Amino acid sequence: MFGLIGHSTSLAAACELAERLGYPEYAQGDLDMWCSAPPQLVENFSVTSATGKTIEGAYIDSVFVPEMLRRFKTAKRKVLNAMELAQKRGIAITALGGFTSIIFEDMNLLKEQQVRATTLEWERFTTGNTHTAWVICRQVELNAPRIGIDLAKARVAVIGATGDIGSAVCRWLSQRTGVAELLLVARKEQPLRDLQSELGGGRILALEEALQQADVVVWVASLPESLSIDPANLPNPCLMIDGGYPKNLDSKASGAGIHVLKGGIVEFHRDIDWQVVALAAEMAKPQRQMFACFAEAMLLDFEELHTNFSWGRNHITLEKMELIGAASLRHGFQALGLDSLSAPVPSLATA
Ligand code: NDP
């Protein structure tokens, strides 16, 4: 059995969801009430792979909302309690979705293995970042040529290059895809230099300079609220993959020749009979589209790889990306493409 730990996108969205699900006390609750609420296993469902194999899944709402991000102790407690619930229900592999994996890493929850009487077994959890990184790379490879960008001649900027997903994307794009030049963007200099020497190349640039030069921009950092992008300074055409969370790049960059694609999202080959996930996820096709990190838990269960496949920072290898990518295609996932948010690009297997 696999699990997904998720959360609503805002307190307002959480209250609306509670109203629809028939929990009036939650629907009318304020932030303090939501802060003290325990996690809930809200639904069970089954999923059938393109191979015909069926597995069982569960969705756990951590009852976290982004408004709690500044309340560090609360945010930490929400993630740990949700993990404890997953483990107590005997779920073999659970993905940490949305902000929960970021909270886990940023607040160093590896040090908090004991939750009341439960010792968390890390091998039961995955961040899902390996699949997310692979999906983002496929989105670059499949969609850049569609708008006339030849990747062998292209400059690709990775914003958040030194992060867990960003560094994996850089490795893949330089060693597998073979893009002409990588532009590396992050705030801290030393990790950028370390990455540059690991890659044996790539140019370190400030965000503004990178945006002026990049044919393709992969965003794998959460965007600051204050960020503004002048479309006149971007090359035309320009492909932007919005791999951060929340996905709000389309509100910051638009104009002729600018193509913004929601990154790290996959579409399954058939509808899944889930109700709450569909309501919470805010996808164009909620019965079959999901974050790639969620899909990783399913893939690991389909493959009976019950292990913390994606864990810690900057451990994602090309071999692991290949393994999870092959499983993704085999079990019927496709990366979202540019045609429209509701139409996936063809996978390598069918292209
Ligand atoms: P990490 O924390 O490992 O990496 C974040 C990276 O972004 C670092 O390189 C960091 O470097 C950089 N960064 C942060 N803020 C800025 C900034 N203002 N300007 C430039 N660079 C910045 O995160 P992950 O790799 O785990 O995740 C990256 C993003 O992907 C997150 O937004 C996450 O929510 C999202 N995500 C999306 C998924 C999906 O869509 N399916 C699944 C999982 C994650 P520095 O600190 O030096 O700036």
Side-chain angles (χ1 to χ4, degrees), residues 196-218:
Q196 190 182 40
S197 84
E198 181 208 317
L199 295 171
R203 213 156 24 112
I204 298 170
L205 286 182
L207 176 62
E208 296 70 25
E209 293 171 291
L211 290 181
Q212 284 169 13
Q213 298 181 30
D215 305 294
V216 178
V217 185
V218 177

Side-chain angles (χ1 to χ4, degrees), residues 165-238:
I165 300 172
S167 58
V169 167
C170 288
R171 268 175 229 123
W172 185 281
L173 293 179
S174 66
Q175 292 173 42
R176 290 289 190 271
T177 316
V179 301
E181 188 177 30
L182 276 180
L183 310 178
L184 311 175
V185 181
R187 293 164 303 180
K188 295 186 211 84
E189 192 158 333
Q190 191 53 49
L192 279 167
R193 294 206 180 288
D194 294 345
L195 177 69
Q196 190 182 40
S197 84
E198 181 208 317
L199 295 171
R203 213 156 24 112
I204 298 170
L205 286 182
L207 176 62
E208 296 70 25
E209 293 171 291
L211 290 181
Q212 284 169 13
Q213 298 181 30
D215 305 294
V216 178
V217 185
V218 177
W219 293 83
V220 273
S222 299
L223 303 184
E225 282 293 321
S226 56
L227 176 78
S228 72
I229 299 170
D230 182 355
N233 289 335
L234 302 175
N236 182 353
C238 178

Side-chain angles (χ1 to χ4, degrees), residues 4-281:
L4 313 172
I5 293 178
H7 58 79
S8 296
T9 51
S10 67
L11 178 60
C15 290
E16 196 186 318
L17 182 63
E19 182 76 49
R20 292 174 78 163
L21 296 176
Y23 295 99
E25 68 283 14
Y26 280 78
Q28 283 143 30
D30 60 7
L31 187 60
D32 287 335
M33 190 259 144
W34 280 83
C35 283
S36 58
Q40 304 286 338
L41 193 161
V42 283
E43 72 178 336
N44 291 286
F45 41 83
S46 52
V47 183
T48 302
S49 153
T51 66
K53 182 171 181 174
T54 297
I55 53 175
E56 302 301 316
Y59 178 68
I60 292 176
D61 192 324
S62 56
V63 198
F64 166 86
V65 291
E67 286 86 342
M68 294 171 195
L69 273 175
R70 288 177 196 279
R71 302 187 182 199
F72 298 130
K73 280 190 183 163
T74 303
K76 205 160 98 169
R77 189 162 38 78
K78 291 284 175 192
V79 176
L80 291 169
N81 287 348
M83 294 172 80
E84 182 201 29
L85 179 58
Q87 183 167 319
K88 277 183 154 175
R89 295 299 179 98
I91 300 174
I93 185 72
T94 296
L96 302 178
F99 277 118
T100 66
S101 68
I102 296 177
I103 292 167
F104 189 92
E105 294 293 343
D106 285 356
M107 298 189 184
N108 199 8
L109 298 192
L110 267 183
K111 285 189 181 156
E112 318 257 347
Q113 197 165 6
Q114 196 65 33
V115 183
R116 291 172 285 275
T118 306
T119 306
L120 291 176
E121 295 162 9
W122 302 135
E123 62 274 19
R124 290 176 182 270
F125 301 95
T126 185
T127 63
N129 282 354
T130 310
H131 190 225
T132 300
W134 181 83
V135 167
I136 288 172
C137 292
R138 297 301 304 142
Q139 290 180 302
V140 171
E141 291 171 351
L142 292 165
N143 291 285
R146 290 178 165 191
I147 56 167
I149 296 171
D150 176 358
L151 287 171
K153 296 179 185 156
R155 291 182 177 138
V156 181
V158 180
I159 319 300
T162 53
D164 192 38
I165 300 172
S167 58
V169 167
C170 288
R171 268 175 229 123
W172 185 281
L173 293 179
S174 66
Q175 292 173 42
R176 290 289 190 271
T177 316
V179 301
E181 188 177 30
L182 276 180
L183 310 178
L184 311 175
V185 181
R187 293 164 303 180
K188 295 186 211 84
E189 192 158 333
Q190 191 53 49
L192 279 167
R193 294 206 180 288
D194 294 345
L195 177 69
Q196 190 182 40
S197 84
E198 181 208 317
L199 295 171
R203 213 156 24 112
I204 298 170
L205 286 182
L207 176 62
E208 296 70 25
E209 293 171 291
L211 290 181
Q212 284 169 13
Q213 298 181 30
D215 305 294
V216 178
V217 185
V218 177
W219 293 83
V220 273
S222 299
L223 303 184
E225 282 293 321
S226 56
L227 176 78
S228 72
I229 299 170
D230 182 355
N233 289 335
L234 302 175
N236 182 353
C238 178
L239 173 65
M240 292 198 164
I241 309 282
D242 187 2
Y245 184 87
K247 301 201 182 296
N248 48 6
L249 188 56
D250 49 0
S251 67
K252 311 245 180 206
S254 62
I258 302 168
H259 304 266
V260 180
L261 176 56
K262 289 194 191 301
I265 294 186
V266 285
E267 183 167 317
F268 199 46
H269 68 110
R270 58 187 285 174
D271 284 357
I272 299 171
D273 187 20
W274 52 24
Q275 308 307 324
V276 185
V277 180
L279 286 171

